Amino acid sequence: MTRVVVVGAGPAAHRFVECLHRRGHRDPVVMLGAERRPPYNRMLLASVLAGALPAEAVTLPDLPAGVEAYRSATVTSIDRATRTVHLDDGRRFRYDALVLATGARAVVPRVPGIRWRGGLSPQVRPLRTLDSCVALGPGPVCVLGGGVLGVEAALALRRAGHRVTLVHRHPYPVNRHLDAAAGTLLARHLADRGVDVRLEREAVRYDEGLLVLRDGETVAANTLLLCAGARPRVELARAAGLAVAGGIVVDDRLRTDDPHVYAIGDCARYGRESGGGVARAWAQAETLAALLTGGRRRYEPVPAVVRLRDPELSVVALDRPRPRAADGRAETVTFTDPAGRRHAALEVLAGRIVRGVLYGLPQATAAATQLFDRDLPLPADRLALLLGTPPRTGTGDLPDDAVVCFCNTVTRAGIVAAWRRGCRDRAALGEATRAGTGCGTCVAEVDRICERLGAEPARGPATETGRLLAVGSGVTP
Amino acid sequence: MTRTLVLIGHGMVGKRLIEALRAGEHGNDWRVVALAEEARPAYDRTLLSSYLTGGDAERSALLTPSVPDDPAVRLMLGTPAVRVKPGRRVVHAAGGERVGYDALVFATGARPFVPPVPGHDRPGCFAYRTLDDAERVRRAARPGRPAVVVGGGVLGLEAAAALRALGMRVHLVERSDRLMAAQLDAAAARVLAAFVAGLGVRVHHATTVASVDGGPGGAVRGVTFAGGATLPAGLIVFAAGVRPRDELATAAGLTVAPRGGIAVDDRCRTADPHIWAIGDCAAVHGRCYGLVNPGYRMAEVVAAQLLGRGGKTFTGSDASVRLKVMGADVASFGDAHARTPGAVEFAQLDRAAGRYAKLVLAADGRTLLGGILAGDARAYPTLRAMLGRELTIMPPGLLAGAASGR
């Protein structure tokens, strides 16, 4: 019998116990959640905060039968020798396998005035838990930190009618995932929606509803919403003597340096990977569930798809942590449309997306994300992919009145007419039309036209020639 | 009745005017007198570098261009015009001959711009515009010795290529942060710069030559950069752009555009109804083009008027350029810098292969407005032919996979 104890009740823990059950594990499973609420989906917090979604809407599905789930259960220590976890109320649970899914906590910037009497000032609120999403009071809101969460919160609050300022240290929002072009478009969108965006600014003090920035500017902030990132919760692991380095260190079996202790989700660190959101947490949860039920899987870093959740925006960042070793060509594909506020930049290796940013291109985003997820090659016509148009091929005819030879103003029609009169190669065509006899640049195109005409079935020349000459070049003899 | 056209200048554009006129005539409406400063008929100036690097065949084709034997055309070589009297409709040629005209066309071209830095006229400094310039450079070239080319545009790159082929150690000085700044964007210029560097040409970006320094006897010994650094060199080529040759027109009382060039309208007409200007010396609505293709278009516009078919106007913004030197292949066409309102850009860069392609499309994402190709410009003729049209064909060079099959 394997008794599994899970510390944490977030998406990683939830997915883990679910998978464990699905894979036939019927031994005891204990899930210890510190919050008083049932497990919920953190990705939608910004909408809950703004009142666009009720709190119940983000609750995760019920746990499988047989899982002993406890709420408000705070684990205070792990006794690895006896394989026991201790709770603050004196309860204790023995384990055969301990899974740490303690998640991360919001970063509280070291800005005087934010902390108050050992906690946070009442007007300061980290956006991390459902508890932090109770309705905001009246007055202006300042969102500190312009990452994904901060931007989502600023837009959602603005939509709900709040006065919102977004303060961000970097030159453009979501700088961890976006490039400068997409970030700049995003900043413009925020400004258009009425968010007061302050970039490359740092807070130095908070007092009495006023956030003071380093350059002396002040921002009205009856509520200060902290969206300055999150740090893995590692205290429990560290106190238990487990290896910690920017997260609880795990191997590709998600095992810590204690063979009976595992870590998954935001609290875990595998290789150079840490944080990285819910897709990663889910992949780790599934892998670990498989391993604990006799599977031979190994954890592999998952391709990250970071989306901004906003009804008006289509923004996605793609990042494959370990692209397949490929001797294929590396290529950068970019699309920029400043006026239409669209942008895409893809890094492609051996035909597959390794990294990418797409802004304002919903159709291309859907197609590209799918190819990225499944590690499939892009179609040859990258532009068609980005524009959502049917792909073009490398062959086809120019329009009849297209000028082929610019030196001598010879159109395709002029060349076709001469060809139909019997000029079947570059030299003969050059003599008849002067095409290709100037700078010589167009001879490749003249050759291509010849080749295509030669390949097509014969046509009645008379009417064709008459029509073509009418639009042909003035210098055609 | 036969009328007289006097053409001042017999370069590529002047020659094109004569051809277009003769091709469109039914009888002998026009007698042409062409006053040429150079001692040889028009040659293809874009091939200057192949004169230096090519074989005997290329050289002789350039040195002895064929001129059609046409009794209606009198080509006066080595006989520049020295004075124009619009009131009397007469041109004074060097040597004293006076030629009356019914129509006068300036096709005087441009002269190289030599930055007025101290020492710019020392022995060992050259311009790069005419066959005579090229011949002087060839004689001064010393294999293994350093040379400096001032100007990283098309002409400068061609000069650098030629000097490299002549065995010199070439330094190219470009004042901006990229080569061919007028035609290329930063990514394409990087591809080109990497290629050029790979051929042993040392590129000095974002700096200028502050002075040309002399040794004993005054001959060039090296240059001093704006930052104070010095570089030994026995040969300097200035390829820092050209200036329209409008002085004869100015002296004749014709209007010159604020930034130089004989002021003409979109029919290449000056304010004098008998006088036109075409090619590098002309400023169409204030703008000089400095490229041969717009010059050709101007020649055709004027020929049409002389033949009584005046409807044609010069709309030419065709600043398409393809440069093929030292194996580098770059091209720029149409609205390469996406200045059209609403224009969108699509670019593909293969850094390892040194290949870059950019398309500029209208806001609809379909109509081709321009583009830039670097490293592989085989798609250029096809794309240029599709300018202003819906991009229905994706040239193989712009399709992934197809491009690798060189």
Side-chain angles (χ1 to χ4, degrees):
Chain A
M1 191 181 84
T2 309
R3 184 179 168 85
V4 178
V5 173
V6 184
V7 182
H14 191 269
R15 176 64 62 95
F16 169 71
V17 297
E18 209 178 61
C19 286
L20 209 56
H21 187 265
R22 203 181 329 123
R23 298 185 72 93
H25 180 98
R26 294 294 179 268
D27 293 344
V29 176
V30 174
M31 192 163 118
L32 303 168
E35 289 187 57
R36 59 184 174 83
R37 296 175 182 275
Y40 55 87
N41 182 351
R42 208 181 296 287
M43 284 184 292
L44 301 169
L45 285 188
S47 302
V48 178
L49 176 71
L53 274 183
E56 307 81 63
V58 299
T59 304
L60 292 170
D62 286 342
L63 291 165
V67 174
E68 264 181 73
Y70 299 89
R71 297 182 201 164
S72 306
T74 305
V75 176
T76 50
S77 66
I78 304 166
D79 183 347
R80 288 163 57 197
T82 60
R83 292 195 217 147
T84 311
V85 294
H86 296 261
L87 271 58
D88 60 349
D89 57 8
R91 279 181 291 177
R92 51 182 112 160
F93 294 88
R94 260 200 36 85
Y95 64 81
D96 297 303
L98 176 65
V99 179
L100 300 175
T102 45
R105 68 162 54 82
V107 169
V108 178
R110 293 175 183 280
V111 173
I114 285 185
R115 290 179 190 278
W116 187 65
R117 293 189 182 171
L120 292 178
S121 154
Q123 289 161 298
V124 175
R125 187 185 288 210
L127 185 56
R128 181 77 198 168
T129 61
L130 205 45
D131 282 340
S132 65
C133 292
V134 294
L136 293 176
V141 182
C142 176
V143 178
L144 192 56
V148 173
L149 188 66
V151 168
E152 286 175 357
L155 286 170
L157 290 171
R158 187 72 200 108
R159 198 172 295 115
H162 292 272
R163 218 175 103 198
V164 181
T165 306
L166 179 67
V167 176
H168 189 55
R169 299 165 63 147
H170 298 276
Y172 55 87
V174 196
N175 55 287
R176 257 186 68 192
H177 304 289
L178 301 183
D179 57 10
T184 306
L185 289 175
L186 181 58
R188 274 169 62 190
H189 176 81
L190 283 158
D192 283 353
R193 288 295 167 270
V195 176
D196 179 1
V197 184
R198 312 280 184 98
L199 297 170
E200 293 183 88
R201 299 295 217 293
E202 257 176 278
V204 291
R205 199 173 71 239
Y206 179 66
D207 50 26
E208 300 295 318
L210 216 57
L211 187 70
V212 183
L213 307 182
R214 190 176 300 288
D215 58 7
E217 271 183 52
T218 56
V219 175
N222 278 22
T223 305
L224 183 63
L225 200 61
L226 302 182
C227 296
R231 276 202 196 100
R233 287 180 185 263
V234 296
E235 297 80 1
L236 209 52
R238 186 178 280 138
L242 297 167
V244 169
I248 305 167
V249 178
V250 294
D251 61 15
D252 61 0
R253 297 172 198 200
L254 301 158
R255 211 162 53 176
T256 65
D257 50 353
D258 179 331
H260 299 281
V261 184
Y262 303 82
I264 56 173
D266 286 352
C267 69
R269 176 153 178 119
Y270 172 70
R272 294 175 54 179
E273 187 195 41
S274 78
V278 77
R280 179 171 166 272
W282 285 339
Q284 293 180 343
E286 283 159 20
T287 304
L288 182 59
L291 282 165
L292 293 184
T293 50
R296 287 162 170 263
R297 287 235 311 247
R298 290 290 182 271
Y299 172 68
E300 273 185 56
V302 294
V305 179
V306 175
R307 280 194 187 81
L308 262 178
R309 275 163 214 84
D310 188 89
E312 291 182 323
L313 281 175
S314 166
V315 188
V316 71
L318 312 172
D319 189 5
R320 187 176 304 287
R322 275 193 210 154
R324 60 167 65 198
D327 50 0
R329 302 176 339 130
E331 159 200 3
T332 310
V333 177
T334 53
F335 176 81
T336 43
D337 176 8
R341 300 199 181 183
R342 298 185 296 172
H343 167 77
L346 305 177
E347 275 179 53
V348 180
L349 187 62
R352 291 157 173 86
I353 300 174
V354 179
R355 252 178 298 282
V357 171
L358 295 113
Y359 186 104
L361 295 157
Q363 209 178 338
T365 298
T369 306
Q370 209 171 62
L371 294 171
F372 171 77
D373 262 339
R374 297 158 62 190
D375 203 14
L376 291 175
L378 299 177
D381 187 348
R382 320 283 206 233
L383 176 59
L385 171 82
L386 292 174
L387 289 174
T389 54
R392 281 158 279 234
T393 62
T395 54
D397 290 330
L398 293 172
D400 279 345
D401 59 342
V403 174
V404 174
C405 174
F406 275 69
C407 293
N408 299 304
T409 327
V410 186
T411 59
R412 176 177 181 274
I415 294 168
V416 171
W419 192 87
R420 299 216 190 283
R421 288 199 305 269
C423 307
R424 294 295 153 96
D425 60 21
R426 183 198 285 184
L429 285 168
E431 206 165 300
T433 65
R434 292 176 58 176
T437 62
C439 65
T441 295
C442 65
V443 291
E445 184 58 28
V446 173
D447 286 347
R448 205 177 72 95
I449 292 172
C450 275
E451 209 172 286
R452 290 183 59 77
L453 287 169
E456 74 183 21
R459 277 193 275 173
T463 55
E464 177 89 352
T465 308
R467 185 176 66 81
L468 293 176
L469 275 180
V471 291
S473 117
V475 285
T476 308
Chain B
M1 198 192 76
T2 301
R3 288 173 289 171
T4 301
L5 163 68
V6 171
L7 171 66
I8 303 181
H10 193 257
M12 296 167 79
V13 170
K15 183 179 174 220
R16 171 57 64 94
L17 172 66
I18 298 174
E19 285 168 1
L21 187 64
R22 298 297 289 145
E25 270 182 318
H26 296 298
N28 273 339
D29 302 337
W30 288 95
R31 186 174 81 94
V32 183
V33 178
L35 300 171
E37 185 178 61
E38 288 186 66
R40 54 178 67 89
Y43 52 88
D44 188 346
R45 215 181 283 290
T46 63
L47 299 175
L48 270 197
S49 292
S50 46
Y51 170 79
L52 291 182
T53 59
D56 292 341
E58 278 106 331
R59 207 164 290 166
S60 71
L62 269 170
L63 288 173
T64 53
S66 64
V67 184
D69 189 16
D70 185 343
V73 179
R74 181 177 168 213
L75 182 53
M76 297 172 69
L77 296 173
T79 315
V82 292
R83 200 167 167 201
V84 174
K85 290 190 165 169
R88 296 186 180 178
R89 283 203 251 151
V90 71
V91 177
H92 297 217
E97 190 172 336
R98 296 168 184 208
V99 191
Y101 63 80
D102 298 292
L104 175 66
V105 176
F106 282 91
T108 43
R111 70 163 49 81
F113 169 68
V114 175
V117 295
H120 66 84
D121 49 2
R122 291 184 185 281
C125 290
F126 302 95
Y128 197 67
R129 172 84 184 166
T130 64
L131 268 178
D132 290 341
D133 291 334
E135 184 53 35
R136 280 191 279 268
V137 167
R138 195 173 67 86
R139 274 195 238 116
R142 298 284 176 274
R145 311 281 300 169
V148 172
V149 175
V150 179
V154 173
L155 203 62
L157 284 158
E158 283 178 347
L163 290 170
R164 191 78 195 102
L166 292 169
M168 298 199 73
R169 282 165 38 216
V170 183
H171 295 262
L172 184 63
V173 183
E174 165 56 38
R175 53 189 283 178
S176 78
D177 59 359
R178 60 181 193 246
L179 298 174
M180 287 177 69
Q183 291 88 14
L184 302 185
D185 59 11
R190 270 196 294 273
V191 168
L192 177 61
F195 191 89
V196 167
L199 294 166
V201 173
R202 174 83 200 280
V203 181
H204 304 261
H205 282 112
T207 185
T208 53
V209 166
S211 68
V212 177
D213 311 320
V220 171
R221 193 192 56 198
V223 297
T224 302
F225 289 111
T230 61
L231 186 73
L235 191 159
I236 316 290
V237 171
F238 288 103
V242 296
R243 296 289 181 268
R245 296 189 61 176
D246 53 16
E247 58 282 350
L248 200 59
T250 309
L254 295 168
T255 308
V256 168
R259 282 187 290 170
I262 304 166
V264 293
D265 64 8
D266 56 10
R267 288 185 164 77
C268 299
R269 296 181 297 199
T270 67
D272 182 318
H274 299 281
I275 304 180
W276 288 259
I278 58 176
D280 287 355
C281 70
V284 184
H285 292 305
R287 182 180 166 192
C288 291
Y289 284 82
L291 289 167
V292 72
N293 251 308
Y296 286 163
R297 297 293 88 80
M298 295 182 211
E300 284 156 12
V301 164
V302 171
Q305 291 166 67
L306 296 177
L307 294 168
R309 307 176 204 132
K312 223 171 170 179
T313 58
F314 176 80
T315 51
S317 55
D318 176 41
S320 299
V321 168
R322 183 179 190 178
L323 173 77
K324 242 178 156 168
V325 289
M326 307 183 267
D329 193 3
V330 297
S332 166
F333 54 96
D335 181 16
H337 296 292
R339 298 206 172 101
T340 308
V344 307
E345 294 179 77
F346 168 72
Q348 275 174 279
L349 170 69
D350 182 340
R351 213 172 269 112
R355 205 154 33 208
Y356 173 74
K358 179 174 89 172
L359 300 179
V360 177
L361 303 162
D364 63 6
R366 296 167 180 276
T367 309
L368 182 65
L369 298 179
I372 294 173
L373 303 168
D376 177 357
R378 284 175 301 168
Y380 171 64
T382 309
L383 288 171
R384 192 180 56 165
M386 281 193 279
L387 271 179
R389 300 160 189 282
E390 183 170 346
L391 188 68
T392 48
I393 309 168
M394 203 56 158
L398 278 154
L399 291 173
S404 47
R406 295 198 83 143

